[in-house]
Amino acid sequence: MVDIRTFPRGEVVAAERDTTAADLASRMAEEGVGSIVITEDDQPIGIVTDRDLTVEVLAGGEDPTSVTAEDVMTEDPVTADLEAGIFEVLSRMEEAAVRRVPAVDDDGKVVGIVSFDDFVALFGRELEKLGNIAEAESPAYE
C-alpha cells in the first residue's frame, strides 16, 4: 500500500494559540497558504483556515486584533501518520469533512501538511497514465 510519506509539504506554517487573527491572516497572505497549524511543543493542537477567519472573525464582526487562534481554531485536528495509506487518510478527511491534515511523525510532531489538492493532483496524473494506456490499446479516433 502506498503511504503518504512523500506527500506532505515540508514547510508547515505554524503559529501559537495566542496569535491574533490579524497576524494569522497576514501570515497566510505572505506564505500563500489557506491554513495555519496551531502547535504546542511542535505538536498540532489546532488548525485555522482562511474560511475560519472569514466566517468566524470577519462575518462575525469580531476585532481581528483581539481574536486569537485559540478562539477560532479547530481543536484536535485530524492528523496523518507518515505510514498511513492514502485511502486511509482520504477516508479520515471525508469523515471529518476537512481539506487539510497535518502529517505527524512517530512522536506526534508536525512534519508536513497534506491537502485535498495534493490528492487531486496525484489522481489526475494517474488518470492521465490510464488514459494513455487505453489510447495505445484502442483504434485510432478519426
Side-chain angles (χ1 to χ4, degrees), residues 110-128:
V110 177
V111 294
I113 193 156
V114 180
S115 74
F116 171 82
D117 294 347
D118 296 328
F119 288 111
V120 169
L122 169 71
F123 293 131
R125 288 190 301 270
E126 296 306 313
L127 284 172
E128 181 180 15

mmCIF file of all heavy atoms in Angstrom, residues 110-128:
data_model
loop_
_atom_site.group_PDB
_atom_site.id
_atom_site.type_symbol
_atom_site.label_atom_id
_atom_site.label_comp_id
_atom_site.label_asym_id
_atom_site.label_seq_id
_atom_site.Cartn_x
_atom_site.Cartn_y
_atom_site.Cartn_z
ATOM 1 N N VAL A 110 4.614 17.761 14.089
ATOM 2 C CA VAL A 110 4.230 18.125 12.722
ATOM 3 C C VAL A 110 5.471 18.120 11.828
ATOM 4 O O VAL A 110 6.471 18.753 12.129
ATOM 5 C CB VAL A 110 3.579 19.522 12.684
ATOM 6 C CG1 VAL A 110 3.244 19.912 11.255
ATOM 7 C CG2 VAL A 110 2.340 19.560 13.543
ATOM 8 N N VAL A 111 5.356 17.396 10.701
ATOM 9 C CA VAL A 111 6.444 17.341 9.732
ATOM 10 C C VAL A 111 6.002 17.790 8.343
ATOM 11 O O VAL A 111 6.806 17.867 7.434
ATOM 12 C CB VAL A 111 7.057 15.924 9.652
ATOM 13 C CG1 VAL A 111 7.744 15.557 10.956
ATOM 14 C CG2 VAL A 111 6.015 14.889 9.284
ATOM 15 N N GLY A 112 4.721 18.067 8.191
ATOM 16 C CA GLY A 112 4.212 18.491 6.899
ATOM 17 C C GLY A 112 2.711 18.660 6.951
ATOM 18 O O GLY A 112 2.099 18.548 8.012
ATOM 19 N N ILE A 113 2.148 18.922 5.802
ATOM 20 C CA ILE A 113 0.700 19.033 5.706
ATOM 21 C C ILE A 113 0.269 18.401 4.390
ATOM 22 O O ILE A 113 0.961 18.506 3.380
ATOM 23 C CB ILE A 113 0.221 20.499 5.826
ATOM 24 C CG1 ILE A 113 -1.279 20.551 6.033
ATOM 25 C CG2 ILE A 113 0.679 21.337 4.665
ATOM 26 C CD1 ILE A 113 -1.765 21.814 6.716
ATOM 27 N N VAL A 114 -0.842 17.697 4.426
ATOM 28 C CA VAL A 114 -1.392 17.034 3.243
ATOM 29 C C VAL A 114 -2.733 17.684 2.950
ATOM 30 O O VAL A 114 -3.544 17.864 3.862
ATOM 31 C CB VAL A 114 -1.592 15.523 3.492
ATOM 32 C CG1 VAL A 114 -2.154 14.844 2.256
ATOM 33 C CG2 VAL A 114 -0.285 14.870 3.904
ATOM 34 N N SER A 115 -2.955 18.003 1.687
ATOM 35 C CA SER A 115 -4.209 18.678 1.340
ATOM 36 C C SER A 115 -4.996 17.899 0.297
ATOM 37 O O SER A 115 -4.460 17.052 -0.423
ATOM 38 C CB SER A 115 -3.924 20.085 0.815
ATOM 39 O OG SER A 115 -3.391 20.021 -0.496
ATOM 40 N N PHE A 116 -6.262 18.229 0.235
ATOM 41 C CA PHE A 116 -7.154 17.696 -0.783
ATOM 42 C C PHE A 116 -6.547 17.892 -2.166
ATOM 43 O O PHE A 116 -6.566 16.993 -3.010
ATOM 44 C CB PHE A 116 -8.500 18.419 -0.654
ATOM 45 C CG PHE A 116 -9.470 18.145 -1.748
ATOM 46 C CD1 PHE A 116 -10.246 16.994 -1.728
ATOM 47 C CD2 PHE A 116 -9.621 19.034 -2.797
ATOM 48 C CE1 PHE A 116 -11.155 16.732 -2.749
ATOM 49 C CE2 PHE A 116 -10.519 18.780 -3.810
ATOM 50 C CZ PHE A 116 -11.291 17.624 -3.791
ATOM 51 N N ASP A 117 -5.978 19.070 -2.405
ATOM 52 C CA ASP A 117 -5.376 19.378 -3.701
ATOM 53 C C ASP A 117 -4.234 18.427 -4.047
ATOM 54 O O ASP A 117 -4.028 18.099 -5.220
ATOM 55 C CB ASP A 117 -4.885 20.822 -3.737
ATOM 56 C CG ASP A 117 -6.017 21.833 -3.655
ATOM 57 O OD1 ASP A 117 -7.187 21.439 -3.810
ATOM 58 O OD2 ASP A 117 -5.731 23.016 -3.422
ATOM 59 N N ASP A 118 -3.478 17.984 -3.039
ATOM 60 C CA ASP A 118 -2.398 17.025 -3.284
ATOM 61 C C ASP A 118 -2.959 15.730 -3.870
ATOM 62 O O ASP A 118 -2.383 15.148 -4.792
ATOM 63 C CB ASP A 118 -1.640 16.710 -1.992
ATOM 64 C CG ASP A 118 -0.928 17.916 -1.411
ATOM 65 O OD1 ASP A 118 -0.479 18.788 -2.191
ATOM 66 O OD2 ASP A 118 -0.823 17.981 -0.174
ATOM 67 N N PHE A 119 -4.084 15.278 -3.320
ATOM 68 C CA PHE A 119 -4.699 14.052 -3.811
ATOM 69 C C PHE A 119 -5.287 14.237 -5.208
ATOM 70 O O PHE A 119 -5.178 13.352 -6.060
ATOM 71 C CB PHE A 119 -5.776 13.552 -2.845
ATOM 72 C CG PHE A 119 -5.205 12.989 -1.578
ATOM 73 C CD1 PHE A 119 -5.378 13.645 -0.374
ATOM 74 C CD2 PHE A 119 -4.491 11.805 -1.584
ATOM 75 C CE1 PHE A 119 -4.849 13.136 0.798
ATOM 76 C CE2 PHE A 119 -3.956 11.278 -0.417
ATOM 77 C CZ PHE A 119 -4.137 11.944 0.779
ATOM 78 N N VAL A 120 -5.894 15.392 -5.461
ATOM 79 C CA VAL A 120 -6.445 15.660 -6.784
ATOM 80 C C VAL A 120 -5.319 15.624 -7.822
ATOM 81 O O VAL A 120 -5.459 15.016 -8.892
ATOM 82 C CB VAL A 120 -7.189 17.016 -6.822
ATOM 83 C CG1 VAL A 120 -7.527 17.421 -8.249
ATOM 84 C CG2 VAL A 120 -8.448 16.945 -5.967
ATOM 85 N N ALA A 121 -4.190 16.233 -7.511
ATOM 86 C CA ALA A 121 -3.055 16.235 -8.436
ATOM 87 C C ALA A 121 -2.540 14.813 -8.669
ATOM 88 O O ALA A 121 -2.270 14.423 -9.814
ATOM 89 C CB ALA A 121 -1.944 17.134 -7.895
ATOM 90 N N LEU A 122 -2.417 14.038 -7.610
ATOM 91 C CA LEU A 122 -1.948 12.653 -7.733
ATOM 92 C C LEU A 122 -2.880 11.838 -8.614
ATOM 93 O O LEU A 122 -2.459 11.184 -9.567
ATOM 94 C CB LEU A 122 -1.845 11.989 -6.358
ATOM 95 C CG LEU A 122 -1.623 10.473 -6.405
ATOM 96 C CD1 LEU A 122 -0.221 10.148 -6.896
ATOM 97 C CD2 LEU A 122 -1.878 9.849 -5.045
ATOM 98 N N PHE A 123 -4.174 11.883 -8.307
ATOM 99 C CA PHE A 123 -5.124 11.084 -9.068
ATOM 100 C C PHE A 123 -5.243 11.574 -10.509
ATOM 101 O O PHE A 123 -5.447 10.790 -11.428
ATOM 102 C CB PHE A 123 -6.482 11.025 -8.369
ATOM 103 C CG PHE A 123 -6.426 10.259 -7.076
ATOM 104 C CD1 PHE A 123 -6.967 10.790 -5.923
ATOM 105 C CD2 PHE A 123 -5.818 9.019 -7.004
ATOM 106 C CE1 PHE A 123 -6.903 10.092 -4.724
ATOM 107 C CE2 PHE A 123 -5.752 8.311 -5.817
ATOM 108 C CZ PHE A 123 -6.296 8.844 -4.672
ATOM 109 N N GLY A 124 -5.080 12.871 -10.730
ATOM 110 C CA GLY A 124 -5.083 13.410 -12.087
ATOM 111 C C GLY A 124 -3.935 12.837 -12.906
ATOM 112 O O GLY A 124 -4.124 12.424 -14.059
ATOM 113 N N ARG A 125 -2.737 12.784 -12.312
ATOM 114 C CA ARG A 125 -1.583 12.205 -13.006
ATOM 115 C C ARG A 125 -1.811 10.727 -13.302
ATOM 116 O O ARG A 125 -1.489 10.238 -14.393
ATOM 117 C CB ARG A 125 -0.314 12.393 -12.182
ATOM 118 C CG ARG A 125 0.196 13.828 -12.143
ATOM 119 C CD ARG A 125 1.576 13.928 -11.524
ATOM 120 N NE ARG A 125 1.634 13.426 -10.161
ATOM 121 C CZ ARG A 125 1.422 14.149 -9.066
ATOM 122 N NH1 ARG A 125 1.128 15.424 -9.178
ATOM 123 N NH2 ARG A 125 1.521 13.611 -7.870
ATOM 124 N N GLU A 126 -2.377 10.012 -12.336
ATOM 125 C CA GLU A 126 -2.613 8.577 -12.523
ATOM 126 C C GLU A 126 -3.688 8.329 -13.578
ATOM 127 O O GLU A 126 -3.570 7.399 -14.383
ATOM 128 C CB GLU A 126 -2.982 7.917 -11.197
ATOM 129 C CG GLU A 126 -1.861 7.972 -10.156
ATOM 130 C CD GLU A 126 -0.526 7.406 -10.646
ATOM 131 O OE1 GLU A 126 -0.512 6.306 -11.244
ATOM 132 O OE2 GLU A 126 0.505 8.073 -10.439
ATOM 133 N N LEU A 127 -4.729 9.153 -13.600
ATOM 134 C CA LEU A 127 -5.765 9.006 -14.619
ATOM 135 C C LEU A 127 -5.214 9.286 -16.014
ATOM 136 O O LEU A 127 -5.604 8.635 -16.994
ATOM 137 C CB LEU A 127 -6.953 9.927 -14.324
ATOM 138 C CG LEU A 127 -7.877 9.453 -13.208
ATOM 139 C CD1 LEU A 127 -8.901 10.542 -12.877
ATOM 140 C CD2 LEU A 127 -8.578 8.156 -13.580
ATOM 141 N N GLU A 128 -4.291 10.232 -16.108
ATOM 142 C CA GLU A 128 -3.667 10.504 -17.400
ATOM 143 C C GLU A 128 -2.907 9.273 -17.887
ATOM 144 O O GLU A 128 -2.986 8.908 -19.063
ATOM 145 C CB GLU A 128 -2.727 11.705 -17.305
ATOM 146 C CG GLU A 128 -2.066 12.032 -18.635
ATOM 147 C CD GLU A 128 -1.131 13.226 -18.574
ATOM 148 O OE1 GLU A 128 -0.752 13.651 -17.467
ATOM 149 O OE2 GLU A 128 -0.780 13.720 -19.659
#
